[in-house]
Amino acid sequence: MARKGKKRPIQVWGCDLEDGTRVNAGEDDIVSVIVHGDHTVTVTDTNHVEKILEGARWVGYVPRQN
């Protein structure tokens, strides 16, 4: 049975974007990548600054398994 309601954000290793590019944790000073249910992407850099990537929408992601 599918869960109903708002989808929660998920911290991932990386994600593929609609434009064909990829965002990965550990590259370009990116420490963390979070995908949201509305297909937006939030990244945190090495200075602990969290920002939403403007115009970026994810189409697939690599999940973290801790």
Side-chain angles (χ1 to χ4, degrees):
M1 180 178 205
R3 182 162 62 121
K4 295 181 181 177
K6 187 175 178 182
K7 294 181 181 179
R8 64 183 178 87
I10 301 171
Q11 187 172 12
V12 297
W13 288 119
C15 66
D16 296 320
L17 304 177
E18 284 182 336
D19 64 1
T21 60
R22 176 170 229 170
V23 177
N24 289 318
E27 293 181 359
D28 300 327
D29 295 329
I30 296 174
V31 176
S32 144
V33 179
I34 299 172
V35 295
H36 301 272
D38 63 354
H39 289 265
T40 57
V41 180
T42 302
V43 295
T44 305
D45 65 15
T46 54
N47 296 322
H48 305 288
V49 176
E50 190 174 289
K51 66 178 179 177
I52 296 175
L53 296 179
E54 294 295 324
R57 292 182 50 82
W58 65 269
V59 293
Y61 62 87
V62 179
R64 290 182 87 133
Q65 297 186 6
N66 296 332

